[in-house]
Amino acid sequence: MANENGVLVVGEIHEGAVSGTTAEMLGLARRLVEGGLGGKVSVALLGSGIADHAGEAGPLGADMVYVADDASLAPYQNDAWLPVVESIVKQANPALVLLAQSSIGRDLAPRLAFRLDTGVSMDTVEVKVEAGTPHLTRAAYGGNARAVLSPVKLPALATIKAKAQEPLEPQAGRAAEVVNVAVSGQNIRTKVLGQEKAKAEGVRLEDADVVVSGGRGLGSPDGFQVIEQLASILGGAAGASRAACDLGWYPPSKQVGLTGTTVSPDLYIAVAISGASQHMAGMSGSKNIVAINKDPDANMVKVARFAVVNDYKQVMPPLIEEVKKLKS
Amino acid sequence: MNIIVCVKQVPDPETPAVAFKVDATTNKVVPAQGVAPVISPFDAQAVEAALRIKDAQGEGKITVLSMGQASARDAIKHGLAMGADEGVLVSDPSLEDADAFVTAKVLAAAIQKIGDYQLIITGRQAADWDQGVVPSGIAEILDLPSLTVTKSVTATNGSVKVERVLQDGFETVEASLPAVVTVSNELGDPRYPQLRQIMMAARKQVTTYTPADLGLSAADLQPRLKLEKLFVPVNDSKVEIIEGDTPAEQAANLARKLREAKLI
């Protein structure tokens, strides 16, 4: 195909609303089409019983909404989604397709790229248009390096890291044209036998303004008691490094890092976390980092705004008391 | 059951950040002095997943497949020392700048050359580029179902059952065979080769192919992404170390600082 223009966002609906990353991608798409890429912002919404969400996309920046509402599309399976998204790409004919770096997007985007015979940049943090072509920036080598990639052919595909882009301020009256997409005839070779969702208690990790995380340096799973106490007093969420999760000290759904959740809170308190690059990849967008660590040379101490160099067991109990006093 | 495990050799991800350097003129990583490349850790877990299936079934053949430089034979040997049966290496100077698109094409062609397989297992992503594109690409090229980012894999005649790791939990999914499965760190530690196994692995066969042996021409090996620039981001933050004679004093000073900065 030729004459590709504009941006297609493959949206996701989580817990009854257009996901935060979808809103962030729509904001990015709007800035790109108005900043040199040209064309329209389209969004694809797939799922079962999701047609009512089409109205949410206009206020977030979409001009066109492609809705595919069919029982075969929930829960997500790539065999079910792929031909539908492929047909929407062919209809919208975009220069750039954005997907979320989420459980769905990271699974779907590579297959879609090969189906369309094009390239994909995963976990992308920045998209810029240079001479009419999207340039995609992503982390590589466990966060030690950044790579800038450009597509050899269009459309270019990119999955977008959560919290890397700003959503638009929703404009209530802004309407988008809705196109219903017919769904039929997928060859679905997989079957979801069951899902087990982690219990959502308190503030969600990815949405929290304050995150307190613990690492291998805690020495045992008991160390997470003070992590949770401080998180609770601050109205935030508790997280963990991959090392701590791999040791079985904390649930994998609470892992912050390259292969876990991406967070960008106002305040990130890293307790007994050395700062391996793959952990930094999940929290380096935090606005203020505090490190509590015995080792003055720990990577986390170097990137922090404030650091206490001491044993967390000695520091955390008085810190919890001090914060309690200030909050009361 | 015959299983093919795709592995990649990568710079050791445990290399300290200070030793990580990029040559700005070639856009390539400068290998750290005295740090040997390793099998990508997720790929060692892919070999482990295959071995667990073979152990459960008491039969089958595991082939370890890699694309890379001649040194990638060491990553294959690691898989063989863990207990895999055979190795295949695709190597050629023309593949040095392969992107994920080219890599998937080459590995898919090699898998077709190997032929008799029911399951393909890989790590969820390689520890150098962290993309997770190649396994889904192989599945797409070979028109197979793909189940990505799993923490357990069991296979019976005709189907594979996995637990996929989701952002907010897990799901159990079944697929018809043949299929492509990728494994995540939640699978657990891979077994460590014992000296005797390392010596036995030295005698196991590693077949080497070039793209031409697999029927691939230069036109098949055109990348889809161009690397414009590879660089090390600068960290310009200045840390303020919180003073105090006792941990309690440090804690109080930190709380005060956070209050002054309106962070709590």
Side-chain angles (χ1 to χ4, degrees), chain B residues 23-221:
Chain B
D23 181 336
T25 55
T26 59
N27 276 336
K28 284 195 165 74
V29 174
V30 182
Q33 280 291 325
V35 185
V38 297
I39 182 171
S40 180
F42 295 122
D43 294 342
Q45 285 169 308
V47 176
E48 175 64 32
L51 288 165
R52 287 181 192 172
I53 292 170
K54 186 180 170 181
D55 289 346
Q57 298 191 339
E59 56 163 1
K61 185 174 84 174
I62 300 171
T63 304
V64 180
L65 167 64
S66 187
M67 185 194 96
Q69 300 176 358
S71 67
R73 184 176 287 265
D74 294 340
I76 294 173
K77 287 280 179 193
H78 186 95
L80 296 176
M82 284 174 69
D85 302 289
E86 287 178 14
V88 173
L89 173 66
V90 187
S91 195
D92 193 70
S94 69
L95 299 173
E96 202 189 321
D97 293 321
D99 69 347
F101 195 89
V102 171
T103 306
K105 284 223 160 174
V106 168
L107 292 176
I111 287 165
Q112 284 175 307
K113 180 102 176 170
I114 294 165
D116 183 19
Y117 63 88
Q118 285 77 48
L119 191 57
I120 298 161
I121 309 182
T122 79
R124 60 178 287 170
Q125 62 204 45
D128 50 1
W129 280 93
D130 291 318
Q131 297 232 72
V133 169
V134 169
S136 298
I138 292 170
E140 189 59 26
I141 293 166
L142 299 176
D143 193 20
L144 300 176
S146 55
L147 302 169
T148 58
V149 190
T150 70
K151 65 162 184 160
S152 76
V153 191
T154 52
T156 53
N157 285 336
S159 74
V160 57
K161 199 198 283 188
V162 303
E163 280 181 285
R164 293 188 66 221
V165 182
L166 305 177
Q167 282 160 295
D168 54 354
F170 303 101
E171 68 178 9
T172 309
V173 194
E174 199 173 53
S176 56
L177 292 176
V180 175
V181 171
T182 79
V183 300
S184 188
N185 48 290
E186 288 85 357
L187 183 99
D189 286 339
R191 61 197 72 186
Y192 203 76
Q194 304 299 311
L195 183 59
R196 196 177 69 89
Q197 293 175 296
I198 294 169
M199 288 165 66
M200 276 166 63
R203 292 198 295 271
K204 290 180 185 170
Q205 193 187 351
V206 178
T207 310
T208 305
Y209 295 123
T210 63
D213 295 334
L214 303 173
L216 295 168
S217 66
D220 295 321
L221 303 177

Side-chain angles (χ1 to χ4, degrees), chain A residues 107 115 141 146 150 195, chain B residues 128 140 148 171-172 228 231:
Chain A
D107 182 73
R115 181 68 59 99
Y141 294 92
R146 291 270 184 289
S150 67
Q195 288 191 330
Chain B
D128 50 1
E140 189 59 26
T148 58
E171 68 178 9
T172 309
E228 300 278 347
F231 62 100

